Amino acid sequence: MQQRKDEQEATAAKTTLRLLEKKVKDMLVDQGRLVEVPYTATLGDTMNALVANKVVALPVAAPPGQWIGAGGSMILESDKQTGAVRKHYIGMVTMLDIVAYIADDDGSNDQMTDVANLEKKMMVPVSSIIGRSFEGLSLWTLNPNTNILDCMELFSKGIHRALVPVDSQMENIQGVELVESASSYKMLTQMDLLKFLKDHASELGEILSSSIKEIGCLNQNVYAITDRTKVIDAIKCLRTALLNAVPIVESSNDFEEDHRQLVDGEGRKPIGTFSATDLRGCHLSALQTWLPLRALEFTELVSRSPLFASKEGVSAPKEMVSCQPQAALAEVIEKIVSKHVHRVWVVDEQGLLAGLVSLTDIVGALRVSLLSKIDVM
């Protein structure tokens, strides 16, 4: 009996090791060409590109020799034959960068409701707003030969995406780099990594059967807005706390509660989600009208947007994607991938918030578990 058990454990260990031999390039087999915007594109053009390509971030390209890349990076596209540099990727622009800029009203609450002011903001070049969110402060590349554990290390630190050179001209390089030159690139995201791991679930073994609480990816610090918070104030909350999304909770009877600020969400009843990504579903004319609305009302309106109606499997803003602390990691990953959300709210048996699980939390916990498994092999 013991011999059989040992043989099963040895087989499982070999299976896990095969997974750990996978490289970044193995995760990019089905990836299409890189979508980007030029540094001269307006915010309006950039939002249109985000909507058209159903993405939440885009690299920004500029002529070589004129810019310093985000975080001091030097990521270049060059001709494969001659090596001549064609463009320089100067940063990544996300929906949070855009909404942070929209919300930056220099202290005037009335200014944001002014149509002319919003139109003016949407005409500025995208290069002028890079770095307004944490992720925009740097731009990373991952060598295609980087192993899966090193890739997980990067994504466990809160980095959501990285450029991957298709044919790197940098020799003997593996891992994360701020300097790169290649004829073309692809994008690898946390979601791509999680989908890859889901497709190789059998190779992860018993790790996926652990609960999110047991494996250590339950984050109990959860901030929220109330059902009385307006869209413009919700955007300011995201910007101030460097968050991409917050749950909407039922307001309390406490008259001192400030609905313009984030509140501690623990123990509160969640009734919706407000995310920077939701604003992709807004045309400029709609955004002008919706900024003064309550965030909860906004999520109900944008849920009927063609953006969400036309993309099968994507969770509409009104939908609450949640789980309980004892939920298996496999169940949570399935929800994230099938609903294409970047976090799952954790609720107790009464349906009250107990925390959240983000892609960063999951990748970090999986990496620690895999390293522990290697140590005992």
Side-chain angles (χ1 to χ4, degrees), residues 93-364:
V93 62
T94 69
M95 275 304 305
L96 188 56
D97 290 313
I98 295 176
V99 299
Y101 179 73
I102 291 172
D104 188 3
D105 60 2
D106 300 321
S108 172
N109 290 326
D110 295 330
Q111 190 179 24
M112 279 310 303
T113 61
D114 183 70
V115 172
N117 179 64
L118 184 56
E119 289 179 341
K120 182 179 178 181
K121 287 194 170 188
M122 297 305 284
M123 290 302 294
V124 304
V126 66
S127 55
S128 66
I129 70 157
I130 292 174
R132 286 181 174 262
S133 66
F134 171 75
E135 190 168 3
L137 295 174
S138 58
L139 184 62
W140 304 94
T141 67
L142 272 171
N143 189 277
N145 293 313
T146 304
N147 68 55
I148 197 166
L149 279 175
D150 287 344
C151 174
M152 293 174 77
E153 181 181 14
L154 175 69
F155 287 153
S156 69
K157 294 178 178 178
I159 304 300
H160 298 156
R161 53 190 60 83
L163 295 178
V164 179
V166 174
D167 52 355
S168 174
Q169 296 182 19
M170 308 295 289
E171 296 182 358
N172 302 318
I173 295 294
Q174 289 191 30
V176 182
E177 290 295 323
L178 289 171
V179 178
E180 184 58 82
S181 180
S183 64
S184 62
Y185 294 83
K186 291 186 176 183
M187 181 92 77
L188 184 72
T189 68
Q190 285 180 325
M191 184 66 78
D192 295 326
L193 171 61
L194 216 57
K195 287 178 179 177
F196 183 81
L197 293 174
K198 177 180 175 292
D199 291 340
H200 292 77
S202 61
E203 296 166 61
L204 287 169
E206 74 280 359
I207 294 175
L208 292 181
S209 61
S210 303
S211 74
I212 56 172
K213 189 173 183 179
E214 290 170 340
I215 203 170
C217 60
L218 169 56
N219 185 344
Q220 294 178 303
N221 298 317
V222 55
Y223 296 98
I225 58 173
T226 77
D227 54 14
R228 299 183 190 178
T229 304
K230 294 181 178 180
V231 171
I232 180 57
D233 293 320
I235 292 174
K236 291 176 183 177
C237 288
L238 293 181
R239 176 198 61 184
T240 302
L242 299 177
L243 298 171
N244 286 293
V246 286
I248 304 172
V249 298
E250 291 181 346
S251 54
S252 71
N253 295 322
D254 185 354
F255 292 106
E256 295 183 1
E257 188 167 69
D258 188 348
H259 304 292
R260 296 170 300 176
Q261 304 292 331
L262 289 171
V263 298
D264 184 355
E266 187 175 2
R268 303 286 289 267
K269 177 72 173 178
I271 53 178
T273 299
F274 181 83
S275 169
T277 309
D278 301 344
L279 294 165
R280 286 186 304 156
C282 303
H283 294 291
L284 179 58
S285 58
L287 187 57
Q288 294 162 348
T289 305
W290 293 351
L291 283 173
L293 298 181
R294 291 183 178 181
L296 183 61
E297 185 180 0
F298 164 80
T299 63
E300 293 169 348
L301 288 170
V302 82
S303 293
R304 298 192 288 269
S305 163
L307 175 69
F308 296 100
S310 63
K311 191 171 182 183
E312 185 179 352
V314 173
S315 170
K318 189 178 179 182
E319 183 179 354
M320 279 292 301
V321 181
S322 62
C323 70
Q324 293 192 342
Q326 63 270 25
L329 183 57
E331 175 191 336
V332 176
I333 291 176
E334 173 61 34
K335 287 186 176 184
I336 285 175
V337 173
S338 63
K339 298 294 184 181
H340 205 81
V341 295
H342 292 81
R343 83 282 310 156
V344 173
W345 308 120
V346 181
V347 296
D348 61 20
E349 293 180 355
Q350 286 74 45
L352 304 179
L353 275 171
L356 67 101
V357 179
S358 70
L359 271 64
T360 299
D361 298 326
I362 291 175
V363 171

